[in-house]
Amino acid sequence: MQLVSKTQCFDGAQCQYTHRSDVLDCEMRFSVFLPSQAEKDESFPVIYWLSGLTCTDENFSQKAGAQRMAAELGIVLVIPDTSPRGDDVADDEGYDLGKGAGFYVNATQTPWKPHYRMYDYIVDELPALIEANFPVGDRRAICGHSMGGHGALTIALKNPGRFTSVSAFSPICNPIACPWGEKAFSAYLGEDRSTWEEYDATVLLSRATERLPMLISQGEEDQFLEQQLKPNALEAAAEAAGYPVKIEHHAGYDHSYYFIASFIEQHLRFHADYLLAH
């Protein structure tokens, strides 16, 4: 693990690292915010943030304004990249497939299978690296935006007991039934649509046994709302399953980081209620 940069921020440190990923078979980059309290010999809770299509680890760290509240709460933020990277990694001309569009799945199809295993990277490899090298314990929460909201919801739902809470901004809620998801899943997972259900939050929520605290924020002026995101499908599944998800609709807000910056404090405080509970 190599330190790329370290910048003081709200008396803490915003850092960027690179490391060799065995799971993805390439060099990866991630960002970490460490509050000032993390200098002490203690163990702090951690929130994993998963970003959306075309993003890297820098979008959230530079645009969301999350560090102030994370510093106040004493929570470490971990922000991974959205896909494998490198000259040997398969790519596509479209923004919604390939580099920058890993969709947090384990690809089973050629040419994606050798590198596109973002699910295993987020669930296993990256947390092991973080917990071995930073002052964090096993108190974890997860959240994300758009494709990253899809990733946060599906990873939380597929791993009962791993996270204290999950939240998402404008998540792709029903990818098996939207153009983004159909394109990505057919490429990464193949034409057997039954395998797609393992990465669909609406399907997973309907089958869930754990009732994890869940918060979703959706802007009503989001240009992707009806065709790509489909929160109504998740809301209907939650109602049918008796799953207590809190879905908030915000008039006037779109899909951008202005929306995230407006409500990131609410999300961090939501997670803190569970991460910091004793």
Side-chain angles (χ1 to χ4, degrees), residues 41-63:
D41 185 21
E42 297 182 47
S43 178
F44 294 88
V46 58
I47 295 176
Y48 289 85
W49 170 272
L50 306 185
S51 294
L53 288 167
T54 76
C55 290
T56 69
D57 59 302
E58 294 181 335
N59 294 76
F60 181 79
S61 61
Q62 295 177 1
K63 296 179 180 180

Side-chain angles (χ1 to χ4, degrees), residues 76-228:
V76 172
L77 303 175
V78 175
I79 309 131
D81 202 346
T82 55
S83 77
R85 305 279 181 175
D87 294 340
D88 296 332
V89 174
D91 200 8
D92 185 83
E93 292 182 356
Y95 73 93
D96 50 359
L97 185 67
K99 296 177 187 177
F103 268 86
Y104 306 100
V105 304
N106 286 338
T108 60
Q109 304 298 304
T110 303
W112 314 103
K113 184 177 179 179
H115 299 286
Y116 284 79
R117 302 188 61 82
M118 287 298 294
Y119 177 85
D120 282 351
Y121 179 71
I122 299 299
V123 172
D124 297 318
E125 187 177 34
L126 183 61
L129 186 70
I130 296 299
E131 290 165 19
N133 290 279
F134 297 96
V136 302
D138 59 0
R139 289 173 294 160
R140 314 176 196 89
I142 190 166
C143 56
H145 171 234
S146 194
M147 178 187 71
H150 142 77
L153 294 175
T154 55
I155 287 171
L157 289 166
K158 285 167 69 69
N159 293 274
R162 177 174 287 268
F163 301 100
T164 62
S165 49
V166 58
S167 73
F169 290 85
S170 315
I172 304 172
C173 294
N174 195 195
I176 65 173
C178 78
W180 277 341
E182 290 178 336
K183 178 178 179 179
F185 287 5
S186 62
Y188 296 145
L189 304 175
E191 295 304 321
D192 181 358
R193 296 176 72 97
S194 66
T195 64
W196 300 7
E197 294 181 355
E198 290 302 310
Y199 298 103
D200 186 291
T202 296
V203 174
L204 293 171
L205 186 143
S206 69
R207 301 170 178 172
T209 55
E210 180 185 46
R211 294 297 184 257
L212 191 67
M214 182 182 294
L215 170 65
I216 294 175
S217 296
Q218 176 62 60
E220 292 185 351
E221 296 302 316
D222 192 316
Q223 64 269 40
F224 304 114
L225 177 58
E226 297 300 328
Q227 186 178 31
Q228 303 283 13

